[in-house]
Amino acid sequence: MNLKKMIIINFALVAVLIAGELKDKTDAHLRKFFGEECVIDSKKYIIPQELKSKIENLTQQRFYTDFVFLYFVKNNDKINSYAILDNVIGKVQPITFLVIYDSNFAISDFQIIKYREEHGGEVQNESWRNQFIGKRANSEFTINENIDGITGATISVKSLIKGINKTSLLIRSIVGNE
Amino acid sequence: MKNIYILFLSFLFLLNINLFSQDDFFISTSKIGGYGEVHYNYEKPENGKSKNVLDFHRFVLFYSHAWNEKWSLKAEVELEHNLVVADDGELELEQAYVNYHYANWLGFKAGVILVSSGLINEFHEPPLFLSVERPDYHNKIIPTTWFGNGISVYGNYSGFNYSLNIMEGLLADKFSASSGIRNGRQKGFKSNADNLLYNFSLDYTKISGLKLGASLVYNNSTGEIENNAVTLLEGHFSYQKNGLVLLGEFANINYSNGEIKKSNGFYFDLGYDIGRLFEIPTQVIPFGRFTNYNTAAEVESVSLNDNDFKTSKWMFGLAVKPIDEVVIKIDYSQRTFGSNDEKTDLINAGLGYMF
């Protein structure tokens, strides 16, 4: 391989990675969950200021930024699931997570797309994540009551619970007009 | 030559893709956290005068900054006993390290780091343990908070957390029959680095609520005349689920030289959040603890006996958490110490927080 080719490949590789490791992982997960034949629409959703403040007040946690990524999953031409990709802050790094909702806004899956901290990685364990399945919002998940705490992951656990509360309220507001 | 230079630059660029691949979903953040605890301690020996102490034991500020999603700084400054005068009180940089988190399975740290040994040394915020004071075991056997200058490689793979730390060692001449290795810690102060300390730990955390692990610390501790190689082998488990708190730890330290040949100990905690029975959000955890330790469990000395420092202790207490980050605690314990089985009653009360 000549030098020019190698340089071009180097830069091209960078360009592909910039295109979004997070989005690729999210897409891959949604396809794994819903099957290859499903149709996925996604958009960057900018949260209206008023709604943002309202949800932040209710959950006592700020949004990581003023947008989230919103996914609509269609099977047989009908939208039957939604998903939100958002970040919460752990000890200091963001935790990127995906929550999938059924048409009644109950959680059908919860995934950590990227974890960047030294401690607290246990939140990625399936046994912990699965506790959220079937739940809706707020009162249905409370640490130590129906969601287990994790020794050494207190901050990540608390932050994610609030984060899922936020996305649960958000999806109902956006899609359910609540 | 120019081409080689461009190729080199493009490789550098490739190496730095992490900086660019964060897309717009990363914001550089700084965060302040901390914890603290204020204690009341009452002590009444069988044949002696009672003692009452009020102490703002620890005030800790935690500062962290993420430059990007791989590089961050974590630092913890601690003020102990509220004031630093002469030999009293302590002001310490308990953690201060640069962290490079390559992926879940591999990360690096360098700076002032913590030894990975036992349940509490790395996770020592007051709401995370039940008693007012940290368990005696974490003072006498594992010298919590055990920190120093060093480097660390760590990771998490398939439910296993592992870490290998190489750091400043202990000073052998400061070991004692009453405190084991505790006073040998250098705490990052112009540390003697003649003999480094090696620490490996492994934890299994895949089952929700369970933590099961072990660790090894080896250090050929530096002495003025003679070194003293210490080997600390420790095991621990913690199961916290559905309101139940069940945990235990045990450790043994072997010494190659000196009067003391072994220090060892264990403790168990059993508690249950009765707040759940009344469906109240406040956690109300009555608990019991049994601990047994001996900083000089095996000695080779004319003046010391194996039983001189043996200690056992029963404790009953209550930890109340109105919110997860605030805990109010009270406990009563009876300590039996030494070859004459001297008994001491202790009552502690305290308030702790973390954020």
Side-chain angles (χ1 to χ4, degrees):
Chain A
M1 200 188 300
N2 68 30
L3 196 66
K4 266 189 185 164
K5 264 191 191 162
M6 281 175 76
I7 292 170
I8 290 168
I9 288 170
N10 267 354
F11 281 102
L13 196 53
V14 171
V16 168
L17 283 161
I18 289 172
E21 175 205 352
L22 297 179
K23 281 189 161 176
D24 289 348
K25 276 182 88 174
T26 307
D27 279 353
H29 181 73
L30 288 169
R31 295 209 176 273
K32 196 174 149 201
F33 191 78
F34 290 103
E36 286 298 327
E37 64 282 1
C38 72
V39 179
I40 300 167
D41 284 336
S42 67
K43 71 170 184 181
K44 185 171 168 177
Y45 177 80
I46 295 167
I47 313 159
Q49 192 52 49
E50 201 182 323
L51 178 62
K52 187 168 171 264
S53 311
K54 188 180 144 197
I55 294 177
E56 285 177 345
N57 281 335
L58 281 168
T59 57
Q60 290 296 299
Q61 187 186 53
R62 284 184 187 281
F63 276 98
Y64 182 73
T65 178
D66 57 1
F67 62 86
V68 295
F69 288 98
L70 195 57
Y71 293 83
F72 301 94
V73 185
K74 275 189 231 171
N75 262 331
N76 309 323
D77 282 341
K78 220 178 122 193
I79 294 179
N80 42 25
S81 275
Y82 313 94
I84 291 182
L85 181 71
D86 194 9
N87 281 338
V88 287
I89 295 178
K91 193 135 191 171
V92 69
Q93 294 284 16
I95 305 167
T96 308
F97 67 102
L98 177 76
V99 192
I100 303 176
Y101 296 92
D102 66 16
S103 49
N104 296 317
F105 311 118
I107 295 169
S108 44
D109 194 32
F110 158 51
Q111 280 288 331
I112 306 291
I113 298 297
K114 193 162 190 186
Y115 193 80
R116 303 165 177 87
E117 294 280 5
E118 171 197 359
H119 291 302
E122 293 86 354
V123 294
Q124 295 167 99
N125 292 342
E126 198 179 348
S127 56
W128 190 75
R129 288 185 289 104
N130 282 352
Q131 298 176 95
F132 291 89
I133 292 175
K135 296 190 169 65
R136 274 154 220 281
N138 225 344
S139 59
E140 290 196 35
F141 28 92
T142 311
I143 187 165
N144 294 320
E145 269 179 48
N146 50 18
I147 301 292
D148 298 330
I150 300 174
T151 316
T154 321
I155 296 168
S156 296
V157 164
K158 294 220 67 164
S159 205
L160 278 165
I161 289 176
K162 286 183 178 179
I164 296 171
N165 248 329
K166 284 194 330 234
T167 57
S168 300
L169 293 169
L170 189 61
I171 196 74
R172 291 161 81 132
S173 301
I174 302 170
V175 186
N177 294 318
E178 284 180 22
Chain B
M1 188 62 206
K2 194 180 156 200
N3 282 344
I4 299 291
Y5 185 62
I6 293 172
L7 182 65
F8 176 70
L9 274 184
S10 79
F11 270 123
L12 269 188
F13 190 47
L14 184 61
L15 280 175
N16 280 300
I17 50 178
N18 301 323
L19 286 173
F20 297 94
S21 65
Q22 299 170 154
D23 57 47
D24 49 4
F25 227 24
F26 177 85
I27 300 165
S28 178
T29 319
S30 293
K31 222 173 118 184
I32 290 176
Y35 69 89
E37 46 195 336
V38 59
H39 296 156
Y40 164 74
N41 309 110
Y42 166 84
E43 198 176 321
K44 171 78 178 79
E46 212 173 359
N47 309 304
K49 238 184 118 198
S50 65
K51 201 164 77 177
N52 288 286
V53 177
L54 270 172
D55 182 23
F56 202 108
H57 197 150
R58 296 183 176 91
F59 178 79
V60 178
L61 280 180
F62 183 91
Y63 176 77
S64 50
H65 178 75
W67 289 286
N68 63 40
E69 58 178 1
K70 297 228 186 301
W71 288 95
S72 62
L73 166 82
K74 315 252 162 76
E76 199 175 292
V77 179
E78 172 160 345
L79 174 63
E80 284 195 21
H81 309 296
N82 204 37
L83 186 70
V84 184
V85 268
D87 286 340
D88 292 325
E90 286 179 61
L91 181 65
E92 299 165 337
L93 192 55
E94 213 174 73
Q95 295 187 63
Y97 57 86
V98 171
N99 190 183
Y100 177 74
H101 189 84
Y102 175 74
N104 276 333
W105 61 275
L106 186 65
F108 304 91
K109 297 188 288 187
V112 182
I113 58 172
L114 296 171
V115 174
S116 179
S117 184
L119 291 172
I120 294 186
N121 199 52
E122 292 171 283
F123 308 103
H124 46 240
E125 291 85 350
L128 305 183
F129 53 92
L130 294 168
S131 49
V132 174
E133 298 289 348
R134 293 176 186 172
D136 290 3
Y137 170 93
H138 277 281
N139 181 309
K140 300 291 187 184
I141 305 299
I142 297 176
T144 304
T145 310
W146 192 357
F147 60 93
N149 300 310
I151 56 168
S152 170
V153 182
Y154 67 86
N156 169 297
Y157 187 78
S158 193
F160 286 96
N161 294 342
Y162 40 86
S163 70
L164 172 68
N165 304 311
I166 301 173
M167 53 196 288
E168 66 184 42
L170 299 160
L171 297 178
D173 298 338
K174 298 204 170 165
F175 297 164
S176 68
S178 62
S179 297
I181 59 174
R182 185 171 186 84
N183 298 328
R185 294 173 303 165
Q186 302 192 68
K187 303 183 173 186
F189 179 75
K190 297 178 181 173
S191 307
N192 178 310
D194 290 346
N195 296 294
L196 296 173
L197 176 149
Y198 301 91
N199 166 219
F200 179 74
S201 72
L202 185 68
D203 277 289
Y204 179 70
T205 59
K206 202 160 188 170
I207 298 163
S208 184
L210 178 73
K211 184 173 189 174
L212 180 67
S215 76
L216 176 73
V217 175
Y218 173 80
N219 177 230
N220 183 20
S221 307
T222 307
E224 200 65 49
I225 300 162
E226 211 171 22
N227 289 351
N228 188 352
V230 291
T231 310
L232 188 166
L233 189 63
E234 161 276 332
H236 53 261
F237 74 93
S238 159
Y239 186 70
Q240 302 192 28
K241 201 176 161 81
N242 302 327
L244 178 73
V245 181
L246 176 64
L247 57 88
E249 303 193 58
F250 59 93
N252 181 71
I253 305 173
N254 280 327
Y255 303 78
S256 70
N257 272 317
E259 286 192 315
I260 318 160
K261 293 293 162 204
K262 253 187 213 317
S263 302
N264 53 33
F266 67 85
Y267 76 98
F268 292 101
D269 277 4
L270 175 64
Y272 182 73
D273 171 17
I274 57 170
R276 298 168 72 92
L277 303 175
F278 307 103
E279 291 181 3
I280 52 168
T282 300
Q283 290 180 63
V284 182
I285 312 171
F287 71 94
R289 170 179 299 161
F290 179 68
T291 186
N292 202 313
Y293 55 88
N294 190 339
T295 43
E298 204 181 294
V299 291
E300 272 180 23
S301 157
V302 280
S303 55
L304 272 178
N305 180 306
D306 287 0
N307 289 330
D308 286 353
F309 291 91
K310 74 161 195 219
T311 310
S312 68
K313 193 171 169 183
W314 274 103
M315 176 183 279
F316 297 97
L318 185 71
V320 178
K321 294 191 205 177
I323 56 172
D324 291 320
E325 294 87 350
V326 173
V327 63
I328 301 154
K329 305 174 186 176
I330 184 158
D331 56 56
Y332 163 78
S333 53
Q334 191 177 65
R335 186 172 65 207
T336 308
F337 175 78
S339 26
N340 299 327
D341 288 339
E342 295 159 35
K343 289 195 166 39
T344 304
D345 288 324
L346 303 116
I347 296 171
N348 296 319
L351 173 73
Y353 65 85
M354 66 186 282
F355 63 97

